[in-house]
Amino acid sequence: MDKIVIKGGNPLKGTVSVSGAKNAALPALASCLLAEGRHQLSSIPRLRDIDTIRRIMSQLGVGFHDRGEVLEVDSTRITNHEAPYELVKTMRASILLLGPLLARYGKAKISLPGGCAIGARPVNLHLKALAAMGVDMHLDQGYINARAPRLKGADIFFDTPTVTGTENIMMAAATASGVTVLKNAAREPEIQDLARLLRRMGADIEGDGTDTVVIRGVPELGTARHEIIPDRIEAGTFLIAAAMTGGEVRIEGCLPDHLEAVIEKVESAGAGVKVLDRALEVRGPDVLQSVDIKTLPYPGFPTDLQAQFMAMMAVADGWSMIRETIFENRFIHISELKRMGADIEINGSQALVRGKRPLLAAPVMATDLRASACLVLAGLVAEGGATEIHRIYHLDRGYERLEEKFSLLGADIRRVNA
Ligand code: EPZ
């Protein structure tokens, strides 16, 4: 298995471009099941998770044709309605196929996604909402067997804002008979991006980006051409990396509006951040200030940047309290950071980070996607040799050639085929 080797100490300098958002690309691909024909999606990132959903959709009968920057998705002939456990277990977002398959074909058999490193991650809210829309479901051998002769609009209230839950129901409701009102909906930019794509396909959706989304079912949808929004979590990862290495970096092709909570916290840590139309320029401070953060649904501080921000607080001047409110087990990176000398104390959903320098180079193990990014950032500032990060297949799920992008910014980082 590959590993990444980093010799820390280089401030990051230069310009880096952001890829398309993984968490917008996954629902966009799933939505192509809703309408027969050839869809054109651009800025789809080259990631393991994208490979996984393409494999599952290919097994359903979908054809994929890479045409340079555009990915053509041909959903003309669907021959199968089952997403197998072997693939779903590697990517929980496969649950996003459930809504579109039911909307188009009235049936689906999807392996119930298990938990993952960061938490149990149930899909009960997805299933409860689909049941309200007339879907008959039963669990058999770990698979959700779902049938719906005709989806009907419903009034749905989510106990908690769920990103893929909101996306699944938006797709299911697009051609349902009647109106679906989704309350306490998630507000993430990726949901707004999906709504834009669905409207291009002919859907009647409003309120996306607020906590109430209204979807009026239409008889059928058509194909569309769509460009995926930039990845705000990748952009935020570079923002934090530049700040914590005391560097000077221009982050091209991002949407600063999607990062307001993160920019505010990075500035509070002492970095200078210049906001441009589709770019950010960040200059790291000589001394990082400690800052408290609490993760929240959008537009609050994103849980997907909590681990990366913690790496920066580990070398800041002072103590910071980091509170994780979205997932119940998203502190796994802390044990690895402590092996690098970080002084962090966990107390339930809160972690007290006593900033100190230096972090010390060490062999560490990635456990999940964003924990991997956290360890890369820690390696960029660690002293005393080379940090080796193992099990980086986790990293490749959500970052496109991350080590190459950091290397172009002056980091001493390389991937080693172990
Ligand atoms: C999406 O996951 C993202 N994944 C996650 O990114 C992200 O961390 C998460 O949203 C929160 O922003 C994709 O978009 C593919 P949720 P999702 O449903 O939709 C609870 C990454 O690193 N919940 O918004 O699965 C759940 O347990 C990944 O790119 C239920 O209880 O997350 C959690 O506590 C990691 N029942 C909270 O809601 C449900 O039916 C938010 O989860 C659904 C969710």
Side-chain angles (χ1 to χ4, degrees), residues 157-225:
F157 181 86
F158 278 140
D159 297 358
T160 181
T162 158
V163 172
T164 49
T166 301
E167 291 164 347
N168 229 341
I169 299 311
M170 275 168 48
M171 292 188 282
T175 55
S177 57
V179 180
T180 297
V181 179
L182 198 39
K183 290 196 174 160
N184 202 22
R187 301 167 52 190
E188 273 68 5
E190 293 75 27
I191 285 162
Q192 293 180 266
D193 200 38
L194 176 62
R196 271 192 294 276
L197 169 51
L198 291 172
R199 279 192 283 267
R200 286 192 176 132
M201 294 168 74
D204 179 347
I205 297 179
E206 58 189 18
D208 46 287
T210 75
D211 63 3
T212 302
V213 182
V214 179
I215 307 109
R216 293 178 181 79
V218 296
E220 68 172 353
L221 298 176
T223 58
R225 177 186 300 274

